[in-house]
Amino acid sequence: VIGTGFTVILAFVIFTAFESYQRARDDIGVESVATRQMYSLAQFFPADYRNDLEGGLICYTRAVIHDEWPLMATGDSSPVVDGWVDRLDSDMFTMPVTTNKEIEVFNTWFSRAAERQDGRRGRLAEAAPYVPPFVWAMLVLLFLVVIGYQVIFVSPKIPLIPQVLGISAVAATMLAGIVVVYVLDAPFADRGAQLSPYRLQATLTAMEAEHQVTPT
């Protein structure tokens, strides 16, 4: 009964931690795709504004990769990224929009900007530990209870080595589950399954390549 109770709780925690980890991956994809689409939309604006917007998106992506990503290991965000977000919005609000085509692109831009922000907010939300301390305490307590219960019923009439191997196997299995939770609980920390910014890096590489060949 004790072992079953621990298994049910551990399985539930692993499932929820994995969902949080997967959401973080999905949010990174949403942010990178939206950023790339915003860069593509910038070509429909006048040259002066287009250069500012394209440069702002490149700097935003660089700031996310090089400044905000390390901070997410401790659940923090980057004020540098916030500054580029504000600057991009400011540049868009000062842009003169006259034709129907520009109005349509303007509205689409802000729709993609909202998607990018949603992706970033989700990414930052998942950077914080998902499993509360109370749950960690319960897992450790139940782990000790299960192992202690098995140790109490060690029999001197049975060879010691098989009993030690049995208890060790149970302890190793439970400990492996706890380690899985520990790793998945912080997707941006260096715990063995750290999420990398490779999607955003690919987006940045594509934007930089296009920005170099686009006439100013």
Side-chain angles (χ1 to χ4, degrees), residues 20-21 23-24 27 121-130 185-188:
S20 174
Y21 185 88
R23 282 196 299 269
D27 289 330
R121 279 193 294 267
R123 169 171 56 79
L124 292 174
E126 302 304 334
Y130 186 80
D185 191 37
F188 299 100

Side-chain angles (χ1 to χ4, degrees), residues 1-3 141-155 167 170 174:
V1 174
I2 296 174
L141 177 61
L142 288 174
F143 174 81
L144 296 176
V145 168
V146 173
I147 299 303
Y149 188 81
Q150 286 191 309
V151 172
I152 289 175
F153 285 91
V154 171
S155 175
I167 295 174
V170 173
M174 295 190 300

